[in-house]
Amino acid sequence: MTPDPLTIPEEFASALLLARDRLGIFAHQILWYLEVGSTNDIAGAMADRGAAEGLVVLADRQTAGRGRLGRSWVSPSGAGIYVSVVLRPSTTVATLLTIAAGVAIAEGITSATGLAPHVKWPNDVHVSGRKLAGILAEGAVGHVVLGIGINVQSAAYPADVASRATSIEAELSRPVDRGLVLAECLVALASRYRELQDGRGRRVVDAWRSRAASMLGRRVEWESAGIQQVGLAENIDDDGALIVKVGASTQKVRSGEVRWL
Ligand code: BTN
């Protein structure tokens, strides 16, 4: 059973109110929970029951936050932003959705804080070589739940995560307004999603490329049909697949994970 949402705390409410006219599809229903297993589960259950596109589910902490490829997402109280949105994209829009989400979250963080993160294929958000935010897209019939986790304050990450993670406050050495970061990320996501719907996916891909400059041209390793492959990441194509040069040939990686060497 889905718990009842609570009143959105001031920290988020005032920033969301100020951004209201720019929130687009995310302006209408924002639900706040103190503690959930995973915001993606709450949003997914509501989408299954017919929730409208644009529903936002936000929690202070998650007890079973999850990441891509079966990993967990450490979600302590107050340290991060844990949010999921319900989208109902067409097949064409869905193709570039995770690319658009990565760009939007990087842009939102820049607008709110001045920090300029990079995107790492397919949709990780990095700064100084460490992960700052991650996106988990989970699709079902008729909807996609986009779950976004942003590290605002450093937390007690498990040892394997600690060496690869950072937070906005650690990078800036100052406190950061979680509400403002959330509001600007939702504004950017609404705007990039709109571009996809309007057939302007090319702009999204170009924005991704300019945020990925430091990642392109680097050696990557990935697995394809059980075989470990190594190549040079060259670019993404217009459908968001990673183009990798392997010897004299070119390959496209469409899903899964690449390791940057
Ligand atoms: C990743 O980089 O592996 C994706 C991490 C996604 C984490 C967010 S936090 C909000 C939403 N709820 C979840 O359980 N996961 C996503």
Side-chain angles (χ1 to χ4, degrees):
M1 212 179 77
T2 310
D4 287 332
L6 304 170
T7 305
I8 303 178
E10 188 54 31
E11 179 187 8
F12 289 104
S14 52
L16 290 167
L17 189 64
L18 276 174
R20 198 185 163 84
D21 293 346
R22 299 183 294 128
L23 284 174
I25 56 167
F26 302 123
H28 308 293
Q29 199 182 12
I30 303 177
L31 303 181
W32 163 261
Y33 299 89
L34 257 190
E35 179 180 296
V36 296
S38 159
T39 53
N40 267 33
D41 288 342
I42 305 278
M46 289 183 174
D48 286 341
R49 294 202 299 269
E53 171 160 271
L55 169 70
V56 179
V57 174
L58 182 62
D60 183 56
R61 58 182 176 269
Q62 300 183 116
T63 53
R66 58 177 180 273
R68 292 177 69 234
L69 308 167
R71 300 198 182 104
S72 60
W73 187 262
V74 182
S75 313
S77 170
I81 293 171
Y82 318 113
V83 62
S84 300
V85 299
V86 172
L87 299 173
R88 298 190 180 278
S90 65
T91 318
T92 318
V93 168
T95 312
L96 281 175
L97 191 55
T98 58
I99 292 290
V103 171
I105 300 313
E107 289 173 336
I109 292 170
T110 301
S111 302
T113 69
L115 194 62
H118 306 287
V119 287
K120 199 165 162 188
W121 190 90
N123 56 13
D124 280 352
V125 176
H126 278 238
V127 70
S128 317
R130 288 170 178 244
K131 184 157 166 167
L132 192 66
I135 295 156
L136 174 67
E138 295 182 315
V141 179
H143 72 257
V144 173
V145 170
L146 217 51
I148 300 151
I150 304 171
N151 301 332
V152 178
Q153 291 173 5
S154 294
Y157 305 116
D160 59 322
V161 176
S163 59
R164 292 179 285 113
T166 189
S167 68
I168 302 177
E169 292 194 357
E171 293 300 320
L172 292 174
S173 305
R174 64 169 171 86
V176 161
D177 181 340
R178 268 199 310 171
L180 185 60
V181 175
L182 171 72
E184 290 304 322
C185 285
L186 290 178
V187 166
L189 187 58
S191 159
R192 291 295 180 189
Y193 186 60
R194 190 64 215 249
E195 278 183 338
L196 295 184
Q197 289 179 314
D198 291 348
R200 290 181 287 143
R202 194 58 201 265
R203 284 175 62 102
V204 175
V205 170
D206 285 345
W208 190 96
R209 288 174 180 143
S210 62
R211 288 253 173 196
S214 66
M215 300 288 173
L216 298 178
R218 280 179 47 190
R219 269 158 54 84
V220 288
E221 183 181 61
W222 78 105
E223 207 183 281
S224 171
I227 299 165
Q228 210 63 23
Q229 306 255 31
V230 179
L232 274 190
E234 286 199 315
N235 212 331
I236 58 168
D237 70 10
D238 288 348
D239 290 330
L242 186 67
I243 304 168
V244 188
K245 190 140 204 270
V246 184
S249 74
T250 294
Q251 296 198 23
K252 289 190 177 180
V253 187
R254 296 184 190 281
S255 60
E257 185 169 58
V258 298
R259 218 162 62 78
W260 300 76
L261 303 171

